[in-house]
Amino acid sequence: YNSVPLSLHAYGRAVAERKPSGIRLAFTTEGPDEIRQVLDCFHDFVTAPERRRQAAFPCTKGHYKRGAE
């Protein structure tokens, strides 16, 4: 368990390059403002790399780069 949300927005371009048939963004306890921040941030990382920015919220990348078994 991690006390901060999982976010792969920093890997948006890498995720998009894999050409997934879909991308699921799941929200549990986030409010509308937090959800908008996440959606905007992920959108920028996928579609507008020149607008990349650090997340304005605490988050973890989980095991995306290291992998998990």
Side-chain angles (χ1 to χ4, degrees), residues 5-6 8 10 19 26 32 42 45 68:
L6 170 70
L8 298 180
K19 301 193 185 309
F42 192 83
F45 273 86

Side-chain angles (χ1 to χ4, degrees), residues 3-62:
S3 63
V4 295
L6 170 70
S7 179
L8 298 180
H9 71 276
Y11 298 107
R13 170 108 18 223
V15 171
E17 287 173 355
R18 292 176 182 248
K19 301 193 185 309
S21 60
I23 295 174
R24 179 177 137 184
L25 301 177
F27 301 95
T28 54
T29 60
E30 295 80 6
D33 292 336
E34 291 171 297
I35 292 171
R36 174 54 49 201
Q37 279 185 316
V38 172
L39 293 175
D40 290 345
C41 197
F42 192 83
H43 179 267
D44 287 351
F45 273 86
V46 172
T47 63
E50 69 281 358
R51 292 189 344 216
R52 289 183 183 184
R53 61 183 188 267
Q54 289 296 99
F57 48 88
C59 59
T60 180
K61 297 173 193 156

